[in-house]
Amino acid sequence: MDGGKCRVLVCAGAGCVSSGCKAVARALSEVVRKSDLDGKVEIVQTGCIGSCDLGPVVVVESDGTFYQHVTPEDVPDIVNDHIIGGNPVERLLHRSGDTGEFEVKLSDMSFFRGQTKIALRNCGVIDPLSIDEYIARNGYEALSKVLKDMTPGQVIDAIKASGLRGRGGAGFPTGLKWMFTADAPGEPKYVVCNADEGDPGAFMDRSLLEGDPHSIIEAMIIAGYAVGSHQGLVYVRAEYPLAVERLSHAIEQAAERGFLGNDILGSGFSFNLEVRVGAGAFVCGEETALLASIEGKRGMPRPKPPFPAASGLWGKPTLINNVETFANIAPIILNGPEWFKGMGTDRSPGTKVFALAGNINNTGLVEVPMGTPLRTIIYEIGGGIPGGKGFKAAQTGGPSGGCIPAQHLDVPMDFDSLTKLGAMMGSGGLIVMDEETCMVDIAKFFLQFTQDESCGKCVPCREGTKVMLDILDRITKGEGQEGDIELLESLGKTISQTALCGLGQSAPNPVLSTIRYFRDEYEAHVRDKRCPAGVCTALASYVIEVEKCRGCGLCVKVCPVDAIHPIELQAVAGDEGRTKRKRPPYAIDASKCIKCGACVAECRFGAITR
Amino acid sequence: MNACSTAPTLSTETDKQIDRVIEEYKDEPSPLLEILNEVQHIFGYLSDDMLIAISEKLSIPTSQVYGVATFYSLLSTRPKGKHIIRVCESAPCHVMGSESVLRAVKDELGIDLGETTPDGLFTLESTSCLGICSVGPAMMVNDRVFGNLTREKVRLILRRYAKDKEASVS
Ligand SMILES: Cc1cc2nc3c(=O)[nH]c(=O)nc-3n(C[C@H](O)[C@H](O)[C@H](O)COP(=O)(O)O)c2cc1C
C-alpha cells in the first residue's frame, strides 16, 4: 500500500443490494477499523457498476482489482492479503468466459473493455450521496460554464449541433424540443424528467438516479436556463424507493451548495426541483399521461398535438426528457457538440446504455457507441449464451419493440436500423433469448403486459389487444385455427394505425415481429398443435423416464391433481427380479395431468420430460 | 363505494392524521396523488371513508378521488396483509423462470394473485418490473428486494417472514 488513501468501492446498486452488499460494506468498515487502517482506507458505496450478476462486487481503486461474489467472510482476506499485503485474493477474481484466464482488473474484463461510458461516467465510481465526489469529477462545471459564458440560445444551439436524440424511446432530437419549449408563449414553464422507466427489462434510468443523481439535477438546471423555466419536476416510479431516496438527498445537497434555489452562482437565474412519485401504472411513462399524473389525475394519455412543449403541465409549456437524455447534457456542454458527434453514427450520435438480461452470461448495464453491432454486445461484452446453447432472438424496446433473429445479429444498434427491422430502440432493454424460448409464448407474454396496462381510453387498444391476446391464448393452448395468424396480422396493423397513444400503437409490435421472423413456429402451434420449444405447457405431455426415476416421490407431493402414482413393480418391463428396487418408479396419468410443470421443477434426477 | 354517505365514520385520530398529510402538501398545486400515496402508507390501504374525507377536505368530487385511487396499481381500496409480496413478472424474469417462483409462492401460501392469507399475514401481487433484471427471477417483500430466486429460496424467505411475525427479515 502506498502513501495515499486507498479507496475501496463497494457497488450499492439495487442488484447488489439484493445479493447482500450491505453486509459486505459493514464487514469492510469493521475489519478496516480493527486493522488500524481508519484514515488510510476509504470505503465508498457507489452506484451500479453494471455487472449486476456478479454481485456483491468490490473494486480496489488504486490498482483496479475487481472482486466478484464477495461475502462478509471474504473481507478479512481482501484487507489483509491485498490491501496490506499487496496480493490479490485469487478465488474472488473474475475469469474470462472464453479462456478461463484471470481478468484481474475491471478494465481487463471483456464486459467493460468494449464500453464507452458517457451517461454512466460516474456510476460505480463515486459515492452518490456525496456532492463533493461529483464535483471532483467536473460536476457542476457545465452549469457554471452555461451560466457565465453562454446565452440560452447558445445552449440550445450546442445541444442541437450535438445531434443528441431522446433516449426515452422515440429518439426525438433533444435540441429541437428545447427550442420549441423556449419559443412557446406562456409562463411559467416547466422542465420535467421522465423517470417512470416502465419498460420491463430496462433499468438504466434507475441506475443513473441511484448512482449519479447530481448529473440529472445539473442537466435539468441547464435545461431550465435554456428554455426559460424556473421549476423542475422529476417523476419517479414508486417501484424505485432507493432512487427516490438518493435523488432527494442530492437535491438537498445541491440546494445547500447554491446550485438550486435563487440566484444560482450569482447569475440571477433561479431554479427549483421537486420529486414526484408515481403509484404503479406503466402508461404514465407516456409523456401526456405522466403530466396528467403529476396533476393528480388518472394517468391517461391525450391526443397530441398540442405537444407538451406548447401545452404541458397545467397547460403551460413543458420540456420533458428522459433520465438518460439528461445524463448526456453536461458532457456535451463541457466537451462540445463536435466531440459528441464523433461517436456513434451519423443519424444517431453518441452512446446508448443497454440493459442486458435474459439468457446471457454477463447481464447488467452496458454503454456502447450507437451503431455497435448486436453481435458485439451479445458475444463480446455479454459473453455469449450460457450452457453452450444457440442464440435465437433478442427483444429490444420491451413490450413496444420487436425481436431481432439470428440472421440479423450484425445489425448496428441505432434508432433507424432497429426500426427498419421492425424492432425498436425503446429505452434500451435488451433481452436475449436462447433456442429453448418459444416465440409465440414471448409474444403472448408482452401482449399480456400491454393489455394489462392499457388505460382503457381508446377502443383499438382496449378491445383490439384483448382480441389479439385471446387468439394467442388459443394458439398456445393448441386450439389455434387456420387463419388465426393472418387475423393477428391484420388486427395488429389496424391497432398500430388507430390507437390514441404510443402504448396502443406499439402494442402489436412483439406479435407482428415474431410472426415476421418465426412464422413457422406459429404454424407449428396452429397446424400441428406442437410447441417446438416445449414451452407452451398445454401442448406438452409429461412423461417420467422409468430408468431415471428413483422413486423418491417428491413429484407426488407437489402434484396438485394427484396424477402421479407408483408403477406396480412387476409391470416394469425387464425389471423383474434383476434389480431389487427398494422403491417403485412413478408414472403420470395423462388424463389427470394439468401440465402445470410443478413435478419437472421438483425432480432432482431430470427424470420428467415434456 | 357508497357515494351518498355524507358523514364519514372515521375515528378522530384517523381524521387528524389525514389533516396532517393534507397540511404537508398544502402549497402544491395538485397534490391528490401524493396525499393518497401518503395516507395509504400510514394506514396500509384507502378505505371508502378515508376517500370521502379526502374528497371533502380538498373539495374534489369523490368520484374523481375514487377514480384516481383505483387507477394506480399500488393504491388499494381494500385492506392488505402485513407483508406484501410482489413477484416480478417482467420479461427477463419470465425468461429466467418467474412462473415457477410465482407458483412456489402460491403453493406455500395457498392464495392466488390479489389475495390475502386468512391470517392477514401475506398479500400476493405481481409487479411489472423491479428493475433488477440481472438477478432475476426477483420479488419484493414490502420494501426488500430478493433476486436469483428458486422455489427453495422462496419457501425459505416466506417461512422466515411467517415466523418473524413482528420484525422484518434481515
Ligand atoms: C406507453 C409509453 C411508455 C413510455 N415510457 C417511458 C418511460 O418509461 N420513460 C421515458 O423516458 N419515456 C417513456 N416514453 C416516452 C415518452 O412519452 C417521451 O417520449 C419521452 O419521455 C421523451 O423524452 P426524450 O425525448 O428525452 O426521450 C413512453 C412512451 C409511451 C408511449
Side-chain angles (χ1 to χ4, degrees):
Chain A
M1 198 171 67
D2 53 31
K5 210 174 196 181
C6 172
R7 277 164 54 101
V8 180
L9 313 181
V10 182
C11 177
C16 282
V17 170
S18 85
S19 51
C21 68
K22 291 282 169 198
V24 171
R26 269 198 304 272
L28 262 169
S29 317
E30 207 158 289
V31 176
V32 163
R33 210 188 49 237
K34 279 190 190 143
S35 315
D36 276 337
L37 291 172
D38 260 344
K40 296 180 187 144
V41 175
E42 186 186 1
I43 294 149
V44 184
Q45 299 199 32
T46 70
C48 181
I49 289 180
S51 51
C52 312
D53 55 328
L54 305 179
V57 166
V58 171
V59 176
V60 179
E61 205 179 43
S62 51
D63 54 14
T65 306
F66 180 96
Y67 289 126
Q68 63 186 30
H69 299 308
V70 179
T71 64
E73 292 75 45
D74 296 322
V75 165
D77 290 347
I78 296 181
V79 174
N80 295 326
D81 296 0
H82 184 168
I83 297 176
I84 299 176
N87 299 314
V89 185
E90 225 168 63
R91 66 170 191 280
L92 302 173
L93 294 175
H94 184 77
R95 279 171 192 269
S96 153
D98 298 335
T99 61
E101 277 169 28
F102 287 120
E103 295 178 323
V104 179
K105 293 184 192 173
L106 184 143
S107 53
D108 292 340
M109 292 166 61
S110 50
F111 181 74
F112 295 103
R113 236 186 295 138
Q115 298 196 44
T116 308
K117 297 204 174 193
I118 296 171
L120 295 175
R121 62 194 177 277
N122 292 326
C123 279
V125 182
I126 64 170
D127 175 359
L129 296 178
S130 158
I131 192 170
D132 290 319
E133 296 209 1
Y134 179 69
I135 292 172
R137 288 179 55 92
N138 305 333
Y140 291 107
E141 240 172 61
L143 175 66
S144 140
K145 174 171 170 185
V146 160
L147 293 181
K148 289 206 179 91
D149 307 331
M150 294 171 86
T151 64
Q154 284 171 329
V155 177
I156 292 176
D157 286 343
I159 301 301
K160 262 181 16 198
S162 75
L164 174 65
R165 294 171 68 173
R167 305 299 196 231
F172 190 81
T174 306
L176 272 187
K177 206 188 255 188
W178 288 29
M179 187 182 77
F180 292 150
T181 317
D183 291 348
E187 283 288 328
K189 294 179 182 177
Y190 296 98
V191 173
V192 173
C193 173
N194 186 343
D196 198 48
E197 192 163 61
D199 272 7
F203 52 97
M204 56 286 291
D205 295 349
R206 174 181 64 67
S207 290
L208 276 164
L209 289 175
E210 286 174 9
D212 193 16
H214 285 288
S215 69
I216 309 303
I217 298 172
E218 180 176 9
M220 289 183 74
I221 309 170
I222 293 173
Y225 177 75
V227 305
S229 156
H230 303 287
Q231 180 64 52
L233 294 111
V234 188
Y235 185 91
V236 191
R237 64 198 293 253
E239 288 86 345
Y240 289 176
L242 191 60
V244 172
E245 189 187 309
R246 296 208 179 141
L247 179 66
S248 308
H249 179 88
I251 290 175
E252 272 172 37
Q253 281 184 326
E256 275 166 27
R257 297 292 179 93
F259 296 121
L260 280 171
N262 293 329
D263 189 21
I264 297 169
L265 303 177
S267 64
F269 174 69
S270 308
F271 194 78
N272 287 298
L273 200 50
E274 267 178 38
V275 180
R276 290 300 182 94
V277 181
F282 170 71
V283 72
C284 284
E286 197 281 335
E287 52 195 18
T288 60
L290 185 148
L291 297 176
S293 181
I294 295 183
E295 291 172 4
K297 302 182 194 143
R298 298 169 75 112
M300 292 206 192
R302 61 160 177 80
K304 293 184 279 192
F307 288 93
S311 171
L313 207 50
W314 298 294
K316 303 296 179 190
T318 302
L319 170 72
I320 173 160
N321 273 131
N322 163 262
V323 175
E324 190 187 333
T325 313
F326 278 126
N328 280 292
I329 298 297
I332 292 175
I333 297 288
L334 284 179
N335 304 316
E338 287 311 313
W339 162 83
F340 191 76
K341 283 194 81 149
M343 286 170 293
T345 66
D346 224 22
R347 301 210 46 219
S348 305
T351 57
K352 177 77 193 88
V353 183
F354 291 98
L356 267 183
N359 304 126
I360 183 146
N361 277 317
N362 308 333
T363 56
L365 284 188
V366 302
E367 182 169 359
V368 291
M370 288 268 192
T372 302
L374 178 60
R375 186 187 299 278
T376 310
I377 299 178
I378 292 180
Y379 285 96
E380 285 174 30
I381 300 173
I385 319 279
K389 289 183 196 146
F391 168 85
K392 184 161 192 176
Q395 173 85 14
T396 64
S400 322
C403 66
I404 306 173
Q407 68 262 34
H408 291 299
L409 256 175
D410 289 307
V411 61
M413 299 290 279
D414 61 59
F415 287 110
D416 307 309
S417 308
L418 288 179
T419 310
K420 235 182 270 160
L421 288 185
M424 209 171 95
M425 176 73 79
S427 49
L430 190 56
I431 301 162
V432 182
M433 294 171 279
D434 68 19
E435 57 202 3
E436 290 180 2
T437 314
C438 169
M439 299 314 284
V440 186
D441 173 67
I442 286 292
K444 185 179 105 179
F445 174 81
F446 280 117
L447 197 66
Q448 174 84 55
F449 175 83
T450 27
Q451 158 75 65
D452 277 352
E453 296 292 343
S454 169
C455 77
K457 188 164 171 174
C458 75
V459 178
C461 179
R462 186 183 64 229
E463 304 296 332
T465 56
K466 177 94 182 60
V467 175
M468 284 182 80
L469 189 59
D470 286 345
I471 299 173
L472 282 173
D473 204 45
R474 262 199 348 247
I475 294 180
T476 52
K477 283 198 179 124
E479 294 159 15
Q481 301 157 6
E482 236 9 270
D484 272 352
I485 305 175
E486 291 72 20
L487 186 56
L488 281 174
E489 286 176 314
S490 83
L491 269 171
K493 278 179 200 141
T494 310
I495 297 169
S496 301
Q497 287 161 3
T498 53
L500 170 65
C501 83
L503 182 123
Q505 289 158 12
S506 60
N509 284 355
V511 182
L512 294 176
S513 91
T514 45
I515 294 181
R516 177 167 165 188
Y517 295 117
F518 297 96
R519 198 180 188 98
D520 53 334
E521 255 181 66
Y522 277 84
E523 284 168 354
H525 282 76
V526 172
R527 298 201 184 131
D528 315 335
K529 314 293 175 212
R530 187 172 63 83
C531 173
V535 170
C536 297
T537 43
L539 297 181
S541 68
Y542 290 86
V543 184
I544 297 180
E545 290 180 40
V546 176
E547 301 76 38
K548 288 192 186 162
C549 177
R550 305 274 182 91
C552 70
L554 274 181
C555 55
V556 179
K557 291 205 187 90
V558 295
C559 179
V561 291
D562 198 20
I564 309 180
H565 297 287
I567 308 178
E568 292 296 312
L569 264 188
Q570 307 83 292
V572 183
D575 215 24
E576 310 93 351
R578 260 201 303 125
T579 46
K580 277 225 168 107
R581 274 179 183 268
K582 280 216 184 76
R583 291 176 295 196
Y586 285 85
I588 299 173
D589 180 348
S591 65
K592 282 190 184 166
C593 173
I594 53 166
K595 299 163 180 175
C596 67
C599 53
V600 179
E602 202 65 30
C603 181
R604 308 247 175 93
F605 310 105
I608 306 176
T609 55
R610 297 190 248 259
Chain B
M1 142 174 292
N2 181 0
C4 300
S5 66
T6 41
T9 48
L10 288 181
S11 73
T12 36
E13 182 48 34
T14 306
D15 198 61
K16 262 194 215 144
Q17 268 174 303
I18 293 178
D19 278 338
R20 270 199 294 272
V21 172
I22 290 177
E23 177 66 19
E24 207 180 306
Y25 292 103
K26 70 173 190 315
D27 294 332
E28 304 215 346
S30 40
L32 178 57
L33 188 55
E34 286 160 296
I35 290 173
L36 293 178
N37 262 334
E38 187 67 32
V39 171
Q40 159 149 324
H41 188 74
I42 298 171
F43 299 102
Y45 79 114
L46 301 160
S47 72
D48 289 359
D49 289 341
M50 292 179 206
L51 292 178
I52 293 169
I54 292 170
S55 117
E56 285 176 355
K57 290 175 203 290
L58 294 176
S59 309
I60 296 176
T62 314
S63 58
Q64 192 185 329
V65 175
Y66 186 69
V68 172
T70 51
F71 181 81
Y72 296 94
S73 63
L74 295 180
L75 296 178
S76 172
T77 51
R78 272 183 299 166
K80 289 195 189 183
K82 186 172 164 60
H83 302 300
I84 298 173
I85 303 164
R86 298 199 171 90
V87 177
C88 185
E89 283 203 311
S90 84
C93 282
H94 180 76
V95 173
M96 303 306 283
S98 59
E99 291 233 354
S100 103
V101 165
L102 184 60
R103 203 175 311 119
V105 180
K106 286 181 181 173
D107 289 351
E108 180 71 22
L109 301 180
I111 51 172
D112 218 328
L113 277 175
E115 294 179 354
T116 300
T117 50
D119 60 5
L121 209 51
F122 293 102
T123 297
L124 175 58
E125 296 178 350
S126 66
T127 169
S128 59
C129 184
L130 295 174
I132 53 161
C133 316
S134 295
V135 291
M139 71 177 187
M140 197 160 148
V141 183
N142 306 329
D143 273 348
R144 238 184 98 92
V145 181
F146 297 89
N148 290 323
L149 291 174
T150 57
R151 297 170 66 89
E152 291 73 22
K153 228 166 139 180
V154 165
R155 270 174 229 154
L156 216 71
I157 293 167
L158 293 182
R159 282 177 197 170
R160 263 199 278 162
Y161 274 98
K163 211 165 25 172
D164 193 13
K165 286 192 173 54
E166 291 306 307
S168 64
V169 175
S170 62

